[in-house]
PDB file of all heavy atoms in Angstrom:
ATOM      1  N   ILE B 350     -12.896  -3.950  17.359  1.00 97.00           N
ATOM      2  CA  ILE B 350     -12.885  -3.274  16.061  1.00 97.00           C
ATOM      3  C   ILE B 350     -13.050  -1.766  16.257  1.00 97.00           C
ATOM      4  O   ILE B 350     -13.867  -1.324  17.065  1.00 97.00           O
ATOM      5  CB  ILE B 350     -14.009  -3.792  15.146  1.00 97.00           C
ATOM      6  CG1 ILE B 350     -13.916  -5.311  14.986  1.00 97.00           C
ATOM      7  CG2 ILE B 350     -13.956  -3.104  13.788  1.00 97.00           C
ATOM      8  CD1 ILE B 350     -12.654  -5.797  14.318  1.00 97.00           C
ATOM      9  N   ALA B 351     -12.260  -0.991  15.501  1.00 98.00           N
ATOM     10  CA  ALA B 351     -12.371   0.466  15.556  1.00 98.00           C
ATOM     11  C   ALA B 351     -12.499   1.022  14.149  1.00 98.00           C
ATOM     12  O   ALA B 351     -11.829   0.563  13.217  1.00 98.00           O
ATOM     13  CB  ALA B 351     -11.154   1.078  16.243  1.00 98.00           C
ATOM     14  N   HIS B 352     -13.380   2.004  13.987  1.00 97.00           N
ATOM     15  CA  HIS B 352     -13.360   2.818  12.782  1.00 97.00           C
ATOM     16  C   HIS B 352     -12.153   3.754  12.904  1.00 97.00           C
ATOM     17  O   HIS B 352     -11.970   4.402  13.940  1.00 97.00           O
ATOM     18  CB  HIS B 352     -14.646   3.635  12.642  1.00 97.00           C
ATOM     19  CG  HIS B 352     -15.779   2.874  12.051  1.00 97.00           C
ATOM     20  ND1 HIS B 352     -17.016   2.783  12.637  1.00 97.00           N
ATOM     21  CD2 HIS B 352     -15.864   2.149  10.895  1.00 97.00           C
ATOM     22  CE1 HIS B 352     -17.811   2.040  11.894  1.00 97.00           C
ATOM     23  NE2 HIS B 352     -17.133   1.634  10.830  1.00 97.00           N
ATOM     24  N   ALA B 353     -11.339   3.813  11.847  1.00 97.00           N
ATOM     25  CA  ALA B 353     -10.100   4.583  11.953  1.00 97.00           C
ATOM     26  C   ALA B 353      -9.637   5.010  10.571  1.00 97.00           C
ATOM     27  O   ALA B 353      -9.221   4.163   9.776  1.00 97.00           O
ATOM     28  CB  ALA B 353      -9.008   3.749  12.629  1.00 97.00           C
ATOM     29  N   PRO B 354      -9.709   6.305  10.244  1.00 97.00           N
ATOM     30  CA  PRO B 354      -9.248   6.762   8.933  1.00 97.00           C
ATOM     31  C   PRO B 354      -7.740   6.551   8.770  1.00 97.00           C
ATOM     32  O   PRO B 354      -6.942   7.173   9.455  1.00 97.00           O
ATOM     33  CB  PRO B 354      -9.607   8.254   8.930  1.00 97.00           C
ATOM     34  CG  PRO B 354      -9.747   8.626  10.377  1.00 97.00           C
ATOM     35  CD  PRO B 354     -10.237   7.396  11.069  1.00 97.00           C
ATOM     36  N   GLY B 355      -7.376   5.639   7.893  1.00 97.00           N
ATOM     37  CA  GLY B 355      -5.961   5.316   7.718  1.00 97.00           C
ATOM     38  C   GLY B 355      -5.428   4.366   8.764  1.00 97.00           C
ATOM     39  O   GLY B 355      -4.232   4.034   8.739  1.00 97.00           O
ATOM     40  N   GLY B 356      -6.263   3.895   9.669  1.00 97.00           N
ATOM     41  CA  GLY B 356      -5.790   2.994  10.718  1.00 97.00           C
ATOM     42  C   GLY B 356      -5.349   1.658  10.181  1.00 97.00           C
ATOM     43  O   GLY B 356      -4.407   1.046  10.688  1.00 97.00           O
ATOM     44  N   ASN B 357      -6.018   1.198   9.138  1.00 96.00           N
ATOM     45  CA  ASN B 357      -5.653  -0.062   8.495  1.00 96.00           C
ATOM     46  C   ASN B 357      -4.669   0.188   7.356  1.00 96.00           C
ATOM     47  O   ASN B 357      -3.710  -0.563   7.178  1.00 96.00           O
ATOM     48  CB  ASN B 357      -6.921  -0.762   7.988  1.00 96.00           C
ATOM     49  CG  ASN B 357      -6.658  -2.160   7.495  1.00 96.00           C
ATOM     50  OD1 ASN B 357      -5.752  -2.834   7.965  1.00 96.00           O
ATOM     51  ND2 ASN B 357      -7.446  -2.607   6.531  1.00 96.00           N
TER      52      ASN B 357
END
Side-chain angles (χ1 to χ4, degrees):
I350 305 297
H352 278 127
N357 189 30

